[in-house]
Amino acid sequence: MENARPPWARRCLGPVWERWSPVRAEPRSWAGVRLPWASTVAVTVFVMVGSGFAAHTQPERVPLDAFARALLVFGGALLLFRHRYPRTVALATSASAAVYFAAGYPYGPIFLTLALGAFGAILAGHRITAWCALGGLWASHVLVGHWLYRWLPPRDGPAPWGDALFVAVWVVAVVAVSELVRVRREQLARVRAERAAAERRRADEERLRIARELHDVLAHSISVINVQAGVGLALLDSDPEQARKALTTIKAASKEALGEVRQVLDTLRTRGDAPRSPAPGLDRLPELTEQAKGAGLAVDVTTAGTRVALPPGADLAAFRIVQEALTNIVRHSGSRTARVLLRYAPGALEVQVDDDGPATAAAGEPAGGGNGLVGMRERAAALGGTVEAGPRPDGGFRVRARIPLAVSNGPAAATHTEADRGTDTVPPTATEEES
């Protein structure tokens, strides 16, 4: 039965059962939606009163009677369900208007009822249904005015084509306005969705930034504490003085870690306010080397090029990269010495950290899978820079970072040639474990 209907009927009316079951035809849930009583009553009263005035200015049309007023009330009452059953209301209001015009009643505010019914269907996404309903109204008006008028209320002859043109103009205007409003609503919905996605993206970026900051702070300090705790336990009986020194280092490292963690948490509690203490930078490199020395790692810092003032972001990133590289050496390298080279090149800062020892892993420690090198690369990439890490050809391990000092918008801004990197660049594959 369904396939026997012509295509236009299937597009306009939907499957056969949907015409007899409004709940199935409109699958959305409207349990919490209130019926628009106030607007429906206002429109119905306006249509009734306005049609009475319109009848006085159109003596050639059939005067309003009880049947005409019943059609007007019926069309207005249908608008009460225009949000729940937009397709049904669009078809029913068009049908009632077609009967109203076929009976020869005067033109007037009934077009408002028709417009609201079609408007609701188009905004709900049932555009073809609304177009078919309005097109059917115009077709029935032409059919009645130029053929069926012989069997309808007495007329002198066929209706003038101006009446059909008037109805066609109203139909086109209703469709045009409804489509414009629909397009505008879709644009606003797209803008809201993009804004919400941008907010979620900013929140994710902030979450990753805080996680990276906490990782860098805790990984270094806890690594120092872990090494010194092992020294203290080993020397507690044989060398109490050295054990006391290890405990002192643990106390200083834990105090510094707590301070930096508190600073990060303060930025979360005071949204939008600047942190009360400055972010760490390369000026704190001596403190970092002292901490590493307390963990048994001698660090030699060398500076090349003309030193310039660094932007806060680049200064923090360089400090954290050095800190993470030294932490990896303490935890995963057999070397007790490390070399840090800060090279101030034109428009960029190059950071290089080397150690000479073989990679080692504590018992039960996973072989890789940490976040240290990932965090380094994320920090550099956020400023348009790069980080390369891997074993050196002559043994040991090297971390090399290049951080542009000019303002950049992303990783694509940091492209440099092999000549800029030098001839001893290590491959970007990391085989040493990350913290």
Side-chain angles (χ1 to χ4, degrees):
M1 178 178 178
E2 174 65 25
N3 294 331
R5 294 190 300 150
W8 65 266
R10 290 198 295 269
R11 285 195 300 267
C12 294
L13 302 177
V16 173
W17 58 84
E18 288 187 358
R19 284 179 289 165
W20 305 105
S21 177
V23 175
R24 292 183 181 179
E26 310 295 343
R28 280 181 73 179
S29 175
W30 295 98
V33 177
R34 299 178 58 184
L35 296 178
W37 286 97
S39 60
T40 300
V41 172
V43 169
T44 304
V45 172
F46 174 77
V47 169
M48 292 291 293
V49 175
S51 297
F53 285 105
H56 294 296
T57 62
Q58 302 176 49
E60 72 280 3
R61 306 288 294 182
V62 178
L64 294 178
D65 54 17
F67 182 64
R69 297 187 183 280
L71 287 175
L72 294 176
V73 172
F74 175 72
L78 286 173
L79 297 178
L80 191 63
F81 307 98
R82 62 184 182 271
H83 299 313
R84 294 192 176 186
Y85 311 108
R87 285 191 296 183
T88 303
V89 171
L91 294 171
T93 52
S94 295
S96 64
V99 174
Y100 179 88
F101 292 140
Y105 296 123
Y107 302 109
I110 189 174
F111 285 106
L112 178 61
T113 303
L114 182 69
L116 290 176
F119 184 76
I122 290 177
L123 291 187
H126 307 298
R127 303 165 62 196
I128 296 180
T129 300
W131 295 348
C132 290
L134 294 175
L137 169 66
W138 182 80
S140 68
H141 187 269
V142 172
L143 187 64
V144 169
H146 295 274
W147 183 40
L148 298 179
Y149 66 90
R150 301 178 183 89
W151 298 279
L152 292 174
R155 295 179 183 173
D156 297 335
W161 281 102
D163 291 352
L165 180 62
F166 175 74
V167 175
V169 170
W170 262 98
V171 167
V172 172
V174 169
V175 171
V177 172
S178 301
E179 289 292 340
L180 286 175
V181 174
R182 179 189 63 81
V183 170
R184 181 59 179 165
R185 283 193 174 185
E186 290 179 354
Q187 290 175 345
L188 292 176
R190 244 187 336 266
V191 170
R192 286 194 294 268
E194 291 173 358
R195 188 180 296 117
E199 290 291 337
R200 289 193 298 270
R201 187 165 54 252
R202 281 194 293 269
D204 289 342
E205 291 172 355
E206 182 66 12
R207 177 178 58 81
L208 290 175
R209 184 192 68 81
I210 294 171
R212 188 166 56 239
E213 194 74 16
L214 288 174
H215 171 271
D216 291 345
V217 171
L218 296 177
H220 174 74
S221 299
I222 293 179
S223 295
V224 173
I225 291 173
N226 180 61
V227 171
Q228 292 300 316
V231 171
L233 286 174
L235 301 178
L236 184 61
D237 296 327
S238 61
D239 192 348
E241 186 62 29
Q242 189 65 28
R244 184 179 296 106
K245 183 178 179 181
L247 292 176
T248 304
T249 303
I250 290 174
K251 180 180 179 181
S254 61
K255 181 179 180 181
E256 181 181 358
L258 287 174
E260 294 197 24
V261 170
R262 188 177 297 113
Q263 178 182 348
V264 174
L265 296 180
D266 284 343
T267 62
L268 296 179
R269 296 192 183 100
T270 56
R271 183 184 180 92
D273 294 339
R276 287 172 290 184
S277 57
L282 292 178
D283 57 338
R284 291 184 54 184
L285 207 53
E287 299 178 22
L288 191 61
T289 58
E290 284 297 321
Q291 288 184 357
K293 184 178 179 181
L297 179 66
V299 181
D300 178 33
V301 180
T302 305
T303 303
T306 304
R307 185 168 184 175
V308 296
L310 301 178
D315 199 17
L316 174 62
F319 177 80
R320 292 303 188 197
I321 289 172
V322 174
Q323 183 184 52
E324 184 61 35
L326 295 180
T327 301
N328 284 342
I329 295 173
V330 170
R331 294 183 61 186
H332 306 300
S333 175
S335 175
R336 295 297 87 192
T337 60
R339 295 182 300 279
V340 177
L341 172 62
L342 304 176
R343 180 183 292 113
Y344 291 86
L349 171 67
E350 295 182 358
V351 179
Q352 182 173 300
V353 182
D354 292 278
D355 73 277
D356 300 324
T360 60
E365 222 179 299
N371 298 314
L373 292 180
V374 174
M376 292 185 199
R377 294 191 177 103
E378 288 177 351
R379 284 188 180 278
L383 299 172
T386 57
V387 171
E388 298 170 345
R392 298 186 307 172
D394 56 347
F397 198 82
R398 169 174 294 169
V399 174
R400 186 169 185 175
R402 181 182 175 89
I403 304 173
L405 302 184
V407 177
S408 61
N409 293 325
T415 56
H416 49 278
T417 62
E418 290 296 327
D420 293 330
R421 296 173 185 163
T423 57
D424 57 346
T425 301
V426 295
T429 56
T431 58
E432 183 174 353
E433 296 174 285
E434 305 172 35
S435 59

